[in-house]
Amino acid sequence: MEPVTSRRWLRVLAFAAAVLCTLVVTVAATARATVVSPAFYRSVLDETSAYDRLYDQVLVDPQTAPVTRSLLAGLPVPEAVVTSNIKLVLPPETVRDLTDEQIEAVVGYLNGDRDTLALTVDLRPVLANINDLVHIYFGDLVASVQGRAAPDFGAFSSALSAALREVAAGRAPAALPSLPLSEAQADKAAERVLAGLPAQDRETLRPEVEVALANGDIGTVLALVAPAMVTERTTDAAARLRTLAGGSGWNLEKVLKGDLAAVHDARAYTAIGLGIVEAVAAALLAAALVGLWVTGSHAPGRRPMLLGWALAGGGLLTALVVVAVRLVSGGRIVEPSARWPSSVAELVDDLQYTAVDDMLATALGTAAIPLVAGTLLAGFGWALQVRPGLRTVSPYLRPVAVGTSAVVLAGLVLVPLVATPSAPRRCQGSARLCDRPYDEVAYLTSHNAMSTTVDRFIGPLQDPAVTTQLDDGVRALQIDTYRWEKPEEITARLNDSDFSAEQRALIASAVNKVNPPREGLWLCHAVCRAGAVELVPTLRQIGDWMRDHPTEVLTLIVQDAITGEDTAGAFAQAGLTDLVHTPDPDPAEPWPTLGEMIDDGRRLVVFAEQADGPAAWYRNFYRYGMETPFAFRSPDEMSCVPHRGGTGKRLFLLNHFVTVDGGSRLDAGTVNARRYVLDRVDRCERERGRAVNFIAVDYTTIGDARGAVDALNARRQAL
């Protein structure tokens, strides 16, 4: 009698152990796939559109305005300029990188790799961006301000000083003085302009100021000198930001204080090693199932029923615990502080509700495996009891039981890893765009991308360098390829250019004096003497950027004054042949999705305005695409009528810039506004019956053309 009793107690203990171990394995596996998984947190951020809400809700929340205004009050730039360009001061890529750093810190603390929780945000990129914005602002402030010739040098000097004072005060001067200066007068004017600057800035800026004065380019002089004059004010504003943060690194743990209590509480359980707990519990579960089989009755069907009910009981208990946790917690882990702005509290609530629901959904999905498998196994055992004819399968009972148990164990361990949401692959910054064909996506396009202020082009149409434009969200570059012009070619090129009369005279005077012809292939804006960068090194920089950003698709539209053979050779020399995409020979054929192009590794699309080959990947744009006119002299002239490429093409280029003796910064402030861009896109899409793909703008850092492109893509994703 005693052996039977002992056997029964062993069976009860094994049953209870199997049920509890099923619960422990499920909880540990779920926690390992969520709580200590960086990918899980990234998926929750994407699922709640947290990054978009930061810009659209949190940063514009009236409750955050006093802090924002306090920080920006000392800048020599109007508050509206900073806030309207907030994505330049605090780029989405920077926010994502900073957030990823905090996720890694939290996960490292939770899984025991770090002894302390250190949440520190590096403010140096933000401070550097504020400084860059100050310089861009002063460049815009003096751009296109028309002046009249002063009667003499004395009047010119006085007017220059007055204009400098206006600019330093953050106001646009009524007019810019102009006067042809002798070398001696340019030197004297430079001394006067530089006199009010700190010594280190004075010597650094002197060469550029003297050259600009000699060329009569007063706007450049003011744009160079004004930021240096207000450096102290900029530094003070940055210092206040550092003071608020406690240095260049902002310690968020001190700011949040008691709000992180849940993280510290969770560490008591997660730091012991969830993988070890999971492995031990899985081993005990296997041992308990063996014990149930050994101690079970030899009657037909009793052993599989016993194992089945143990597994089903473990799954049911897990499901009940999950439901109870959801009901008790209400989906909240952290109680938002009353001192938080409402937009922050709402975002935090959405994040934690989503995180909790995703975790519990993973746990329920995992619990369903033993519940379903156990129920089927128990049902099979019951059928053996009530249907004697089935007992012929008795020799297969042990393999069936072993196989079912193995499937359950594997499911408990592996399902959380598969079922838990993870950070989706992002194409052009969005997970949903990965499934969109190339010709259904909108791309911010930099017109004359190589003609930049930083590369000292005369009449630049962009401010940052090409790779910086890519960092800022540009995904299509319009570039012009040339060989350096000979003296006899200057007049013809100048006559066909959009340079002003003064700029043409300046370029013509430089022929064979300070700017002789150079060998090789170049990126120029009409005339290489007006500014040039070497083609191959620039292509190599683009390739390096693409390899650093493996989920980005880039398009080059080349205004080609060199042969297709020369272009193919340059791409090969720059090492880009492994990145170029070869379009279908039939322009009417559908394009692949962005995800397919990324998977294939061929994600650089290259079009020419003139050539069509010989390389298969170097196709004429107007076989595949159409465009609007591009010689608009005012915003009111902008139309959608067909131009090169005719109509009915799959790709649509919207030329969206104003040209008045070169690019117009002031008009860029109008036409690059988000609403203005979207309104014109809508109008042109209605008139032309095709989605706009390339929105080509001058001065991509002015206005919010990128915001318009993002909104356009978001709208298309919802279709």
Side-chain angles (χ1 to χ4, degrees):
M1 187 73 178
E2 185 174 341
V4 175
T5 303
S6 299
R7 189 184 185 93
R8 183 178 297 129
W9 277 110
L10 286 173
R11 189 161 58 243
V12 171
L13 289 174
F15 189 94
V19 170
L20 292 176
C21 286
T22 300
L23 171 64
V24 173
V25 172
T26 302
V27 171
T30 300
R32 182 167 55 85
T34 56
V35 177
V36 294
S37 169
F40 171 72
Y41 295 102
R42 296 186 184 108
S43 75
V44 171
L45 289 167
D46 286 327
E47 201 174 337
T48 55
S49 302
Y51 295 107
D52 292 334
R53 292 171 64 178
L54 172 66
Y55 293 101
D56 299 338
Q57 299 175 15
V58 175
L59 293 177
V60 297
D61 190 329
Q63 291 178 267
T64 66
V67 176
T68 304
R69 289 196 171 99
S70 174
L71 292 174
L72 303 180
L75 285 174
V77 178
E79 173 193 315
V81 173
V82 178
T83 53
S84 64
N85 291 282
I86 193 64
K87 288 189 178 181
L88 296 179
V89 176
L90 189 63
E93 294 81 5
T94 300
V95 174
R96 190 175 288 276
D97 289 343
L98 293 175
T99 304
D100 284 346
E101 291 175 8
Q102 311 319 310
I103 290 174
E104 294 291 344
V106 170
V107 169
Y109 177 69
L110 286 174
N111 63 25
D113 292 341
R114 303 186 184 190
D115 294 331
T116 59
L117 179 61
L119 302 179
T120 303
V121 176
D122 186 357
L123 293 176
R124 285 175 296 181
V126 179
L127 298 173
N129 290 336
I130 289 177
N131 186 62
D132 290 344
L133 181 63
V134 170
H135 284 76
I136 292 172
Y137 168 71
F138 281 107
D140 294 344
L141 192 66
V142 299
S144 301
V145 179
Q146 304 300 314
R148 290 173 292 185
D152 54 40
F153 181 68
F156 169 85
S157 298
S158 298
L160 178 59
S161 298
L164 189 56
R165 287 194 298 272
E166 287 291 297
V167 173
R171 299 187 294 269
L176 297 184
S178 61
L179 187 70
L181 301 180
S182 66
E183 186 175 344
Q185 288 175 326
D187 289 342
K188 187 175 181 180
E191 287 295 336
R192 186 162 187 168
V193 167
L194 296 168
L197 302 185
Q200 66 273 17
D201 293 327
R202 199 179 308 150
E203 296 310 312
T204 300
L205 296 175
R206 181 182 298 278
E208 296 179 68
V209 169
E210 289 178 346
V211 170
L213 283 170
N215 293 333
D217 187 357
I218 307 305
T220 294
V221 173
L222 296 180
L224 286 169
V225 173
M229 293 183 67
V230 297
T231 296
E232 185 175 346
R233 290 166 61 191
T234 306
T235 302
D236 289 344
R240 276 198 300 279
L241 184 57
R242 288 192 183 93
T243 299
L244 175 67
S248 295
W250 190 356
N251 191 329
L252 293 179
E253 189 183 4
K254 292 181 179 178
V255 176
L256 295 174
K257 296 179 182 178
D259 299 326
L260 295 174
V263 176
H264 298 302
D265 292 342
R267 187 177 188 271
Y269 303 97
T270 58
I272 60 177
L274 291 171
I276 296 175
V277 171
E278 184 181 0
V280 171
L284 291 175
L285 174 58
L289 293 176
V290 170
L292 284 175
W293 184 271
V294 171
T295 61
S297 170
H298 294 283
R302 295 299 299 273
R303 284 175 169 174
M305 281 184 66
L306 190 59
L307 262 64
W309 288 127
L311 292 173
L316 180 60
L317 176 63
T318 301
L320 292 174
V321 169
V322 168
V323 172
V325 168
R326 182 63 176 84
L327 293 175
V328 171
S329 68
R332 269 186 173 175
I333 302 171
V334 175
E335 185 71 27
S337 171
R339 67 177 185 274
W340 292 359
S342 59
S343 59
V344 174
E346 290 172 6
L347 178 57
V348 169
D349 268 345
D350 285 349
L351 286 169
Q352 58 185 338
Y353 288 146
T354 301
V356 169
D357 287 345
D358 285 350
M359 282 190 288
L360 298 184
T362 299
L364 283 175
T366 306
I369 294 174
L371 180 59
V372 172
T375 301
L376 291 175
L377 191 59
F380 176 64
W382 175 81
L384 288 176
Q385 287 184 325
V386 299
R387 299 288 298 272
L390 294 176
R391 294 174 186 175
T392 56
V393 302
S394 296
Y396 305 102
L397 287 179
R398 185 174 299 174
V400 169
V402 171
T404 302
S405 300
V407 168
V408 170
L409 280 171
L412 291 176
V413 173
L414 297 178
V415 164
L417 298 176
V418 177
T420 300
S422 59
R425 181 177 61 168
R426 302 176 65 81
C427 303
Q428 310 295 86
S430 170
R432 293 183 180 179
L433 286 180
C434 293
D435 295 328
R436 304 298 292 186
Y438 170 84
D439 59 331
E440 293 181 10
V441 178
Y443 308 92
L444 177 60
T445 305
S446 174
H447 175 237
N448 282 325
M450 71 289 153
S451 178
T452 68
T453 301
V454 73
D455 288 310
R456 302 181 184 281
F457 275 66
I458 292 176
L461 294 176
Q462 305 296 336
D463 286 318
V466 167
T467 51
T468 305
Q469 295 174 40
L470 298 178
D471 289 337
D472 291 341
V474 170
R475 290 298 175 266
L477 302 169
Q478 291 180 304
I479 56 176
D480 301 355
T481 55
Y482 283 93
R483 288 187 181 275
W484 207 277
E485 64 276 349
K486 299 175 182 178
E488 59 270 20
E489 297 173 330
I490 288 288
T491 301
R493 285 203 191 177
L494 285 176
N495 288 340
D496 293 335
S497 73
D498 54 10
F499 290 121
S500 66
E502 292 80 4
Q503 290 170 338
R504 293 177 188 178
L506 175 63
I507 297 166
S509 68
V511 175
N512 287 337
K513 293 181 181 178
V514 296
N515 213 346
R518 304 177 192 177
E519 295 297 323
L521 304 176
W522 298 83
L523 293 171
C524 312
H525 180 204
V527 182
C528 293
R529 283 176 172 81
V533 291
E534 292 185 82
L535 174 60
V536 172
T538 303
L539 292 177
R540 193 172 289 125
Q541 292 170 9
I542 291 172
D544 291 342
W545 186 92
M546 292 190 69
R547 291 184 176 90
D548 288 339
H549 300 78
T551 63
E552 300 295 337
V553 174
L554 185 63
T555 303
L556 302 182
I557 302 175
V558 183
Q559 180 179 313
D560 48 327
I562 63 175
T563 67
E565 290 83 358
D566 284 340
T567 301
F571 273 71
Q573 189 177 348
L576 296 182
T577 52
D578 64 320
L579 290 174
V580 292
H581 172 81
T582 300
D584 193 286
D586 182 358
E589 284 297 308
W591 283 81
T593 66
L594 296 186
E596 291 169 342
M597 296 173 72
I598 291 166
D599 291 340
D600 188 45
R602 303 285 182 167
R603 48 196 177 88
L604 175 60
V605 184
V606 187
F607 291 113
E609 288 189 2
Q610 304 296 329
D612 191 28
W617 49 263
Y618 191 44
R619 299 272 67 111
N620 186 279
F621 178 78
Y622 299 107
R623 284 183 56 206
Y624 294 81
M626 57 188 181
E627 68 172 0
T628 64
F630 55 81
F632 303 118
R633 296 184 62 83
S634 72
D636 293 338
E637 292 182 12
M638 286 185 160
S639 71
C640 307
V641 300
H643 196 54
R644 293 177 294 185
T647 60
K649 302 295 175 58
R650 297 188 73 95
L651 299 177
F652 190 179
L653 166 62
L654 188 77
N655 291 307
H656 194 76
F657 45 85
V658 172
T659 302
V660 183
D661 293 331
S664 173
R665 280 183 181 271
L666 295 184
D667 286 319
T670 298
V671 302
N672 289 4
R674 176 184 174 126
R675 188 69 263 163
Y676 197 101
V677 173
L678 289 173
D679 286 346
R680 184 165 180 239
V681 167
D682 290 342
R683 186 172 78 250
C684 290
E685 289 185 342
R686 287 194 303 270
E687 291 185 20
R688 302 289 290 272
R690 184 66 197 174
V692 167
N693 303 108
F694 306 103
I695 301 174
V697 299
D698 288 340
Y699 310 109
T700 57
T701 54
I702 297 176
D704 191 19
R706 176 180 178 178
V709 170
D710 290 343
L712 197 58
N713 281 327
R715 199 161 68 192
R716 292 175 183 176
Q717 292 168 30
L719 297 177

